[in-house]
Structure formats: structure tokens, C-alpha cells
Amino acid sequence: MNVTINGITLNVDVQGSGTPIYAHHGAPGLGTHATPKRAFAPLAGEYRIVTFDARGSGASDAVPPYTHAQWVADLDALREHFGDETIIMKGGSYGGYVALEYTLAHPDRVSALILRDTSASRRFEELARQNALARAKEFPAITEEMLDMVFSGRVPSDEAMRDAYATIAPLYDAKTDPAKAAERVRAATYRADTHNQAFAGNLPHYDLTGRLHEITVPTLIVVGRHDWITPVAASEEIAAGIPHAELVIFEHSGHSPQLEENERFVSVVGDFLERNGL
């Protein structure tokens, strides 16, 4: 469905009924709600799963600004549109940044927080670069120049963004599957303007580590052992900062345990929610 909020139209999907889980995708300008929709589908029998393409991504309107504050405002407007007093907030990868920002901005609106392969700061970016360059012999198109372009938000066009993603796509899975990576590249929508604003405009000021202690809702953090871009150490930092947070490492996953080990992911999430009365 299409939902109009804050003067733009978002592409939104709702599965199931019951307590709402709002799942925010990653990769601004690249990601869509297709991944969280598929990952959380097994929980739709007990929960109402709300997924959407954020402003500037997927099939939603590409109308700036593409800032954390605006994405948080859009998320809260979507919650209000559906009449949900409180939500279970889930965010993966860059969507985890928005989920953390939302929880800090609207603590009374969040009953639980689920974070997947994300970070509360940029301090692990150099490790991500090293992880990528370590596989340059296998994937020669991975260069320092290409990584600089991506991480600094200087992608010159949608086509250049597609080429860059095609280069790094095989890194995201624990077991490289060229056909699977190629399909992800083919199916994606590319918006370099959104990506550039996120990485050049937002991330230089992004560091929530000093505020993590403010989050008091039940929090589950999951991460793949072989995640190259938001490594385990980033999740460990979040777990250390949020009181009583639970950290689960998926030993056979890269950046996407919600897909690579979906059955276990659903079990871990379901158990966490049940134990917390949600």
C-alpha cells in the first residue's frame, strides 16, 4: 500500500495482526522493505509486521532531507497513521541507526528494541575497510578508492552506486554465492543522492555510545559472526552500553542472519518477545 505522511508517499507493507513490529531496512538509497518483510514473515501469525521503504529508498518518494531526524519523524508519523500507541522497534544495519535514534527520541513509544548487525558509532569503519580489502585478491575490483567513494558519500551517480554494490555484494554472506549476490544487485533500486546524504551528511556526526544507557526497554542485539561491515565488536559495544541488553551471535552468518539463519533468527526473536511479555 501507499501511505502519505509528512508530505510524501511511502511504500508500506503490513503482514498479520496483533502487537506491531516496525522493521526498518538498511542501506539508505539501496535497501527496501522486501528483506525485513521476508525475514519476519514467520512471525506474522502472532504479530503485525509493518515494513516500509524509507524516504529516498525503494519505491517511496525521493524527497530530501535524508537525515536521521527526518527518518525518525517519518517513522513516528507512520506509527501515528496506523494508530499504534507503542511499537516493537527493529532496525538492521543502517536501519539500526534509525531504530536507536527513534528509541532515544520517543522512549514512551517503544516497548522493545531489536537491533541486527548495526552500530552506535562510526568507530568500526576502519575495521570494515580492512575486512573488505582482505578479500581484494578474490575480488580485484575492491580497492581503497572504491571504498573511499562509498564510505565518504561521494558516489557520482546511480549507475556508479550499482557498480560499487555489485563489487561488494559477495562480501555480505558467510558463504559466498555469486548467483545470489548477482540477484540482489539486479533487484535493487539505486539512489546515490540518498546514500551520499547518509554517509557524507549524517554519519560524520553519528555517535550514540554516550546515550546508550538511556535505553531502558528490553533490547535484543543479533549479529552474524562473519559480518564484514558492522562487525561483532560493534554489537558488543551496543550490548555493553544498553542496560540488560541481550546479545546473540549467529555463527554461520555474515551481515544477514535474518536470512542466512532465518529459522534460528525467528526462534531467537520469538523467544525474546515471549519472555518479555510481548
Side-chain angles (χ1 to χ4, degrees), residues 2-5 7-11 53-64 66 71 74 191 194:
N2 287 326
V3 173
T4 299
I5 51 96
I8 64 163
T9 298
L10 297 182
N11 186 246
D53 293 349
R55 175 190 297 254
S57 293
S60 290
D61 285 348
V63 178
Y66 307 126
W71 284 323
D74 290 347
R191 291 180 178 168
T194 310

Side-chain angles (χ1 to χ4, degrees), residues 211-239:
R211 298 191 62 194
L212 292 175
H213 68 278
E214 299 175 30
I215 298 175
T216 58
V217 297
T219 300
L220 172 67
I221 304 158
V222 302
V223 62
R225 173 65 72 186
H226 308 285
D227 188 344
W228 77 275
I229 193 166
T230 49
V232 170
S235 288
E236 290 175 334
E237 178 181 72
I238 300 173

Side-chain angles (χ1 to χ4, degrees), residues 23-153:
H24 202 299
H25 67 79
L30 173 61
T32 75
H33 70 258
T35 297
K37 174 184 175 181
R38 179 155 55 104
F40 279 87
L43 291 169
E46 301 176 57
Y47 298 90
R48 178 160 47 90
I49 313 299
V50 179
T51 57
F52 61 99
D53 293 349
R55 175 190 297 254
S57 293
S60 290
D61 285 348
V63 178
Y66 307 126
T67 62
H68 290 187
Q70 185 62 64
W71 284 323
V72 166
D74 290 347
L75 175 55
D76 200 50
L78 188 63
R79 175 202 59 77
E80 187 174 2
H81 170 84
F82 285 116
D84 295 318
E85 288 297 317
T86 60
I87 64 174
I88 298 165
M89 183 71 244
K90 179 269 175 185
S93 194
Y94 199 109
Y97 306 172
V98 181
L100 283 165
E101 298 266 26
Y102 184 86
T103 302
L104 289 166
H106 301 284
D108 57 325
R109 300 297 189 191
V110 178
S111 58
L113 176 62
I114 302 170
L115 300 170
R116 189 270 306 164
D117 294 81
T118 191
S119 179
S121 71
R122 284 192 89 174
R123 60 176 49 94
F124 299 97
E125 183 179 300
E126 182 56 35
L127 178 56
R129 289 170 179 259
Q130 293 173 12
N131 290 338
L133 290 170
R135 299 186 66 182
K137 288 185 178 180
E138 186 179 0
F139 304 105
I142 296 177
T143 64
E144 291 190 15
E145 292 74 20
M146 186 274 295
L147 293 172
D148 284 342
M149 177 186 72
V150 171
F151 281 110
S152 66

Side-chain angles (χ1 to χ4, degrees), residues 164-201:
Y165 181 57
T167 299
I168 61 177
L171 304 181
Y172 284 88
D173 298 323
K175 294 182 179 180
T176 301
D177 184 336
K180 184 178 175 182
E183 175 56 26
R184 284 203 301 264
V185 173
R186 185 201 65 78
T189 299
Y190 301 91
R191 291 180 178 168
D193 286 347
T194 310
H195 170 89
N196 290 340
Q197 172 61 46
F199 279 78

